[in-house]
Amino acid sequence: MSGQLSFGAFTLNIGSRQLQRGSNHEPVHLSPKAFELLRVLVEARPTAISKRELHQRLWPSTFVSEATLSSLIAELREALGEGGRQGGFIRTVHGFGYAFTGTAEPLAASAGIIANWIVCEGRETPLGDGAHLIGRDTDVKVTLRSPGVSRHHARIVISGSSVSLEDLGSKNGTYVRGHRVTSAVELADGDEIRIGTFVLTFRTVGASGSTETQAPRP
């Protein structure tokens, strides 16, 4: 199950790549690139992302004009109902880039479904089923920008209710609950993961009812 995040009247379903509005989950149309832009900004919140990095994330190895990114921002703002001088979810950082300014909460969906996410420096990254890389490269799920972090430093693997962490042969090691990881380690809610100078907290929540409930913030 891939993560869902709620902000304002909207739900962002990362797994199904859908943006929905209201309690009836009305679909909000976004182009694939606009959805990816929203995902990147929401997952990086409240950190501002430079235009250069956004170009690298959205159009790797391809040249596009700055106007193309501006057009995607305009598409996002229209989809989110932002207009005029009213405050909204997308903030322009003049001379740099853009940031998501809303409060997005992880959702635990229907009964039996588990929501997992990583918290690092106030930033929440939802994790669905599958393998998720942690490191300083651009292709990882959780990016840690530091020379003390390997490009592909560690990996979290999720299969249903089973969540494990493994170090990928990093030079400086990966630590869970104060112990260096030498083989795959099962993760539990609240576990602290130390990589270089970064402290990450693993969070998980299962819904016991039939309706969506907001996961408690760490």
Side-chain angles (χ1 to χ4, degrees):
M1 140 63 178
S2 294
Q4 295 183 79
L5 294 169
S6 172
F7 58 92
F10 298 93
T11 299
L12 181 66
N13 191 319
I14 295 172
S16 65
R17 298 184 64 82
Q18 287 183 303
L19 178 66
Q20 299 167 320
R21 180 193 293 111
S23 58
N24 62 344
H25 303 295
E26 174 190 355
V28 179
H29 175 73
L30 282 178
S31 66
K33 288 295 185 185
F35 180 91
E36 187 64 14
L37 173 59
L38 178 60
R39 183 191 68 79
V40 170
L41 292 176
V42 169
E43 290 187 352
R45 69 191 187 284
T47 303
I49 306 297
S50 69
K51 293 179 182 178
R52 179 179 179 181
E53 182 172 348
L54 289 173
H55 276 275
Q56 291 173 344
R57 294 275 198 98
L58 297 171
W59 300 282
S61 305
T62 303
F63 173 79
V64 296
S65 68
E66 188 169 321
T68 305
L69 178 59
S70 298
S71 178
L72 283 186
I73 289 291
E75 180 184 345
L76 270 188
R77 285 177 167 155
E78 181 178 358
L80 297 173
E82 301 177 13
R85 297 184 179 180
Q86 296 178 344
F89 296 107
I90 309 299
R91 176 171 66 93
T92 299
V93 183
H94 294 288
F96 181 75
Y98 301 94
F100 183 85
T101 61
T103 299
E105 299 282 355
L107 291 178
S110 57
I113 294 180
I114 297 173
N116 305 289
W117 68 101
I118 283 289
V119 182
C120 181
E121 297 183 331
R123 180 170 123 186
E124 299 163 346
T125 303
L127 305 174
D129 270 7
H132 306 281
L133 292 172
I134 302 172
R136 61 181 171 87
D137 213 342
T138 57
D139 64 343
V140 302
K141 181 69 171 182
V142 181
T143 305
L144 305 177
R145 299 293 171 81
S146 170
V149 177
S150 300
R151 286 184 169 83
H152 288 178
H153 195 106
R155 175 168 53 208
I156 293 176
V157 179
I158 300 176
S159 178
S161 61
S162 174
V163 183
S164 63
L165 170 75
E166 55 187 329
D167 183 82
L168 297 178
S170 67
K171 180 179 179 180
N172 295 320
T174 302
Y175 295 79
V176 175
R177 300 183 290 274
H179 299 285
R180 185 161 184 163
V181 175
T182 56
S183 59
V185 175
E186 290 292 320
L187 291 179
D189 182 49
D191 275 349
E192 286 192 350
I193 305 165
R194 183 165 62 85
I195 296 178
T197 60
F198 296 93
V199 176
L200 299 75
T201 304
F202 173 71
R203 300 307 309 264
T204 183
V205 62
S208 59
S210 59
T211 58
E212 292 181 337
T213 56
Q214 287 194 344
R217 297 180 68 87

